[in-house]
Amino acid sequence: MSAATVSRQFARAALRTSARNTFATSSRQAFRQGGRRFYSSESPKSSGASPLLYMAGAAVAGGAGYYFYSQGDVSTKVFEPTKEDYQKVYNEIANRLEEKDDYDDGSYGPVLVRLAWHASGTYDKETGTGGSDGATMRFAPEGDHGANAGLKHARDFLEPVKAKFPWITYSDLWILAGVCALQEMGGPTIPYRPGRSDKDAAACTPDGRLPDGSKGADHLRGIFYRMGFNDQEIVALAGAHALGRCHADRSGFDGPWTHSPTVLTNDFFKLLLSEKWTIRKWDGPQQFQDQGKTLMMLPADYALIKDKAMKKWVEKYAKDNDAFFKDFSAVITKLFELGVPFKPETEPIVFKPVNA
């Protein structure tokens, strides 16, 4: 591991501690300087079609609970994963988040959050379709939807994890990865329940169910009300834009929202209110930039402070990081569980962070 990598990992660890323990009393400028990064700007095929293998596949597709292992051609044993088994999956992901220091801002965390978000955000409460149950983004046309551009990086990142823990469904794995990423990037505790199944391409959702960053408040309400969210929950979920960045070759937009894109805090809300945002003059789609021309906001982000009903929640979360974390944990858990037919006895798992 290079000295530069060690230095950056030490800085991120220090910032996570600061964000959790002293963020509320730190000056905005001091936090910025402490958290600044130097920006660089499918499932395995079976070898046969025996009844045993078919039974194993059916067991995996059925969600958490049972996985059949074949022992030669004559016997099987049933594996029922425990909380400790899911923690092992969590640990595997956590220990690999920063293994490629040259990827984006040094962490796969933000793109894993986006994968879990987009897998879940297709839910329609009226039809009961979409949501995280199914992992249908593995297939065209859903995987090719414009809103999902770039998420192949996240799916490919998780393939070695799936190979190491074949008993977990893709649906459960993607959400577990999102939970892991949020907690490891200094975010709140996110309770996790397994029980999602993997579906085939026939269950793919139509394009247009995810938010469009170029739109305003009416569009946001149309998208999120369809899933069963209210204005407060819409704003709380938007706080995830403290993480990651936009890429011109994916969404068309470009740049990070905050100075610390691998650490979750309420800085998205603070910056949205305190900076003077102007329309960027460039060849790409309309977006806003700060006075220093280092940060960006989408039109959908800016709409949160132009709409009176939403702005009050922006103001609340900008003033109180603990309130943001509390509400964010509740609403992201709700998002990740939309439409999932959990068994009544399925209890939430609280994962122990590895690096946070």
Side-chain angles (χ1 to χ4, degrees):
M1 183 179 294
S2 69
T5 299
V6 173
S7 177
R8 281 189 286 267
Q9 290 180 346
F10 178 80
R12 284 196 290 269
L15 179 59
R16 290 184 184 113
T17 301
S18 175
R20 285 188 167 190
N21 300 328
T22 64
F23 182 80
T25 58
S26 299
S27 70
R28 178 167 162 268
Q29 185 63 27
F31 179 77
R32 269 189 177 184
Q33 297 303 320
R36 190 184 298 266
R37 284 295 305 263
F38 291 97
Y39 300 120
S40 60
S41 63
E42 292 305 344
S43 65
K45 295 181 179 179
S46 61
S47 58
S50 70
L52 180 60
L53 289 176
Y54 177 81
M55 181 171 63
V60 175
Y66 301 96
Y67 186 87
F68 291 88
Y69 283 103
S70 63
Q71 303 291 328
D73 294 326
V74 296
S75 65
T76 64
K77 66 176 182 178
V78 177
F79 171 66
E80 185 173 1
T82 65
K83 291 182 179 180
E84 289 72 25
D85 292 309
Y86 287 104
Q87 180 72 56
K88 290 177 182 178
V89 180
Y90 178 104
N91 294 351
E92 180 74 14
I93 297 168
N95 287 326
R96 294 186 56 226
L97 286 178
E98 298 174 359
E99 68 178 5
K100 292 186 178 180
D101 197 61
D102 59 346
Y103 179 77
D104 265 9
D105 297 293
S107 173
Y108 276 89
V111 77
L112 292 179
V113 173
R114 183 168 168 249
L115 175 65
W117 205 118
H118 283 217
S120 305
T122 58
Y123 182 69
D124 183 335
K125 68 179 182 180
E126 298 300 325
T127 63
T129 58
S132 64
D133 190 46
T136 49
M137 200 192 304
R138 290 171 295 147
F139 309 108
E142 189 171 335
D144 298 328
H145 290 168
N148 293 329
L151 287 178
K152 187 177 185 299
H153 293 283
R155 299 194 300 270
D156 288 349
F157 172 87
L158 292 172
E159 279 301 321
V161 182
K162 181 69 168 72
K164 186 172 181 177
F165 303 95
W167 50 264
I168 192 170
T169 63
Y170 279 101
S171 302
D172 272 342
L173 176 62
W174 290 1
I175 300 304
L176 195 158
V179 169
C180 174
L182 288 165
Q183 293 193 169
E184 295 300 311
M185 290 188 290
T189 298
I190 312 292
Y192 168 85
R193 285 198 293 171
R196 297 163 186 81
S197 61
D198 290 336
K199 300 177 182 178
D200 60 25
C204 283
T205 55
D207 201 358
R209 287 195 177 184
L210 293 168
D212 184 336
S214 68
K215 305 294 186 181
D218 288 344
H219 167 77
L220 292 176
R221 288 191 171 97
I223 293 292
F224 286 95
Y225 285 12
R226 184 203 73 225
M227 291 186 273
F229 293 111
N230 58 34
D231 286 356
Q232 172 263 319
E233 292 171 316
I234 293 173
V235 177
L237 281 172
H241 279 176
L243 301 170
R245 59 171 60 237
C246 288
H247 302 76
D249 61 344
R250 299 180 192 177
S251 64
F253 301 104
D254 179 60
W257 287 270
T258 72
H259 292 289
S260 52
T262 61
V263 182
L264 182 62
T265 68
N266 64 344
D267 213 29
F268 167 78
F269 302 111
K270 294 169 71 73
L271 290 165
L272 190 55
L273 290 171
S274 63
E275 289 289 345
K276 182 179 180 181
W277 299 99
T278 58
I279 295 176
R280 178 180 176 180
K281 296 179 180 179
W282 72 315
D283 293 333
Q286 185 182 99
Q287 65 179 64
F288 294 86
Q289 63 183 9
D290 68 329
Q291 288 183 301
K293 299 182 180 180
T294 59
L295 303 177
M296 60 83 69
M297 289 287 170
L298 302 171
D301 299 320
Y302 195 67
L304 300 179
I305 59 173
K306 304 306 291 183
D307 185 280
K308 291 183 179 180
M310 292 185 176
K311 185 178 180 180
K312 68 180 183 181
W313 296 108
V314 175
E315 293 172 334
K316 176 181 178 178
Y317 297 141
K319 293 176 182 177
D320 191 340
N321 191 61
D322 290 339
F324 165 54
F325 269 23
K326 178 178 180 293
D327 289 352
F328 180 79
S329 177
V331 73
I332 200 73
T333 300
K334 176 179 176 179
L335 174 69
F336 288 167
E337 295 190 347
L338 289 175
V340 181
F342 294 110
K343 295 179 180 179
E345 66 272 18
T346 304
E347 296 182 357
I349 300 172
V350 175
F351 294 116
K352 180 180 179 181
V354 173
N355 301 305

